[in-house]
Amino acid sequence: QVQLVESGGGLVQAGGSLRLSCAASGFMFINYAMGWYRQTPGKQRELVAIISSSGLITNYADSVKGRFTISRDNAKNTVDLQMNSLKPEDTAVYYCNARALNTFWGQGTQVTVSP
């Protein structure tokens, strides 16, 4: 059974930091690119950051470049998103994503940044 379980969301003041983690199981993690997406009510889900299966290539949305860092541990089947200098506009539900021949999603974790 495929599972992507996010953790680490919460409430933080603007300028603060959070670290999201996603634990994967039930598929060959090392073969999948992993990403973090976010969604706010009434808007489409948007890509925040993505990391290649090897971990050597990363890509970020312009809005988070220089503030967020995605990383993965292929030995532990985890992917993390370190979020620094958080802004109120980063408030969203953040989703973990695995993509190769198939696509899998986590259930999401809420991140709220207060002014």
Side-chain angles (χ1 to χ4, degrees), residues 11-17 85-88 112-115:
L11 173 65
V12 65
Q13 286 188 327
S17 298
S85 302
L86 283 160
K87 303 176 181 180
T112 303
V113 184
S114 63

Side-chain angles (χ1 to χ4, degrees), residues 27-33 53-54 72 74 77:
F27 63 99
M28 287 297 292
F29 182 80
I30 197 170
N31 290 341
Y32 281 70
S53 57
S54 66
R72 66 188 292 161
N74 284 346
N77 287 8

Side-chain angles (χ1 to χ4, degrees), residues 21-24 29 34 36 51 71-80 96:
S21 187
C22 174
F29 182 80
M34 298 296 298
W36 286 94
I51 187 167
S71 61
R72 66 188 292 161
D73 187 333
N74 284 346
K76 296 181 179 179
N77 287 8
T78 58
V79 57
D80 292 346
C96 180

Side-chain angles (χ1 to χ4, degrees), residues 5-102:
V5 180
E6 300 102 334
S7 61
L11 173 65
V12 65
Q13 286 188 327
S17 298
L18 282 175
R19 188 176 184 89
L20 304 183
S21 187
C22 174
S25 60
F27 63 99
M28 287 297 292
F29 182 80
I30 197 170
N31 290 341
Y32 281 70
M34 298 296 298
W36 286 94
Y37 288 70
R38 66 188 182 188
Q39 189 170 23
T40 54
K43 293 188 177 181
Q44 284 191 330
R45 195 170 294 186
E46 64 173 1
L47 175 68
V48 175
I50 191 167
I51 187 167
S52 65
S53 57
S54 66
L56 295 178
I57 301 172
T58 58
N59 197 19
Y60 298 89
D62 288 342
S63 58
V64 307
K65 280 181 181 176
R67 300 189 296 122
F68 291 11
T69 302
I70 189 170
S71 61
R72 66 188 292 161
D73 187 333
N74 284 346
K76 296 181 179 179
N77 287 8
T78 58
V79 57
D80 292 346
L81 184 69
Q82 177 66 43
M83 305 186 295
N84 298 327
S85 302
L86 283 160
K87 303 176 181 180
E89 51 263 43
D90 295 318
T91 295
V93 178
Y94 283 70
Y95 295 91
C96 180
N97 169 269
R99 179 166 301 176
L101 291 178
N102 299 306

